[in-house]
Amino acid sequence: GTNVLPMMLTDKNYDGYQMTNAVYASIETLLPASLTLTYGARYTWVKTDMDSINNNMGTKTSGEGSDGKIVFNAGVLWHGTDNLTLRASYAQGYRSPILQELYIDTSMGSTGTTYANPDLKPETSNNFEVGARWMSNSIMLDAAMFYSKAKNYIQALPISSSLSRYENVGEATTYGLELTGSYEIKSIGLEPYVNLTLMRRQFDYGNVETYKTATPAVIARYGFRWNGEANGL
């Protein structure tokens, strides 16, 4: 059967911190045929510490840990015309779980309670993107296809209808298309813009594969930017 954690009202005090340190190197090399090669590496080290006092029980629990990883990236740009730029890139990803995911149970009203998991592992991923950008006078158009393969992906998984817990999904595969466009009305400095992302994500638990991951299939953002000066601002 499924172990369901009981719901209860708790009174806790938390005293914790998470410190992230990183060092990176980025290099750009100009190649023939209007090509630019970019590549680099980044090392990230994370230390976490949390003390929790349960005022109901009069008990104190502590948790601490540290982890680190080096990741690499590489990409190529082609800007053979004044208006068009083509790009392709590969990048490794790394994300350590945050304090809430590790140690702090949360309740969001009608959405139920989400339990922390101090045994979470950091996420790692391999990410690919190919894209193109067109810029001409006031018009900017950008299109990109992306693909990501992540291990130990961190997600709140349901335990029951009102309870969930942060877990490491075996693997998560995400792919999609992102479209961006804007037009600047230079006479008044106003720039309407739109960003549209089409995306799918699949979880692989080892024995089960599913697209039911609560990932929006379509994400849209639109609005106006103003670029100008008023009274010296």
Side-chain angles (χ1 to χ4, degrees):
T2 302
N3 293 324
V4 178
L5 300 177
M7 293 186 66
M8 63 181 68
L9 182 63
T10 60
D11 179 11
K12 293 184 178 180
N13 292 337
Y14 295 98
D15 181 13
Y17 75 90
Q18 186 172 65
M19 179 175 61
T20 301
N21 298 276
V23 59
Y24 72 93
S26 181
I27 305 172
E28 183 176 285
T29 302
L30 299 179
L31 302 176
S34 300
L35 292 174
T36 301
L37 179 65
T38 61
Y39 48 100
R42 178 186 181 95
Y43 176 75
T44 303
W45 181 75
V46 181
K47 180 174 174 56
T48 302
D49 189 8
M50 172 65 80
D51 292 327
S52 173
I53 300 176
N54 190 324
N55 296 318
N56 293 337
M57 305 292 293
T59 58
K60 178 180 178 179
T61 58
S62 299
E64 62 179 354
S66 62
D67 55 75
K69 186 175 178 61
I70 185 170
V71 296
F72 301 93
N73 67 83
V76 61
L77 295 171
W78 178 80
H79 38 82
T81 71
D82 293 337
N83 305 116
L84 179 65
T85 300
L86 305 179
R87 66 184 184 274
S89 65
Y90 162 75
Q92 295 177 320
Y94 169 79
R95 184 179 85 83
S96 184
I98 62 175
L99 288 176
Q100 175 182 322
E101 296 165 340
L102 287 168
Y103 301 116
I104 304 175
D105 300 334
T106 56
S107 180
M108 300 297 178
S110 61
T111 61
T113 298
T114 302
Y115 291 100
N117 183 353
D119 297 322
L120 288 175
K121 301 176 183 178
E123 294 178 11
T124 58
S125 62
N126 291 296
N127 310 284
F128 303 87
E129 180 181 306
V130 293
R133 172 168 293 196
W134 173 270
M135 298 186 68
S136 177
N137 295 325
S138 300
I139 300 175
M140 189 282 290
L141 299 173
D142 190 285
M145 293 186 296
F146 58 88
Y147 175 88
S148 174
K149 192 82 168 181
K151 292 184 179 181
N152 294 321
Y153 188 84
I154 298 172
Q155 178 79 1
L157 300 181
I159 303 172
S160 67
S161 59
S162 60
L163 298 176
S164 59
R165 177 167 44 205
Y166 289 109
E167 299 285 357
N168 286 114
V169 177
E171 288 186 352
T173 302
T174 307
Y175 57 90
L177 173 67
E178 186 173 37
L179 303 171
T180 303
S182 66
Y183 178 79
E184 184 178 9
I185 308 172
K186 294 187 177 182
S187 60
I188 57 176
L190 194 64
E191 183 181 11
Y193 67 90
V194 62
N195 178 271
L196 178 67
T197 302
L198 311 176
M199 181 166 54
R200 295 204 72 188
R201 177 172 291 139
Q202 181 190 55
F203 287 165
D204 183 351
Y205 299 98
N207 56 352
V208 176
E209 296 181 357
T210 178
Y211 282 98
K212 296 181 179 181
T213 62
T215 301
V218 180
I219 302 172
R221 179 185 179 93
Y222 50 90
F224 294 89
R225 288 187 289 259
W226 179 72
N227 306 300
E229 182 178 322
N231 298 324
L233 299 177

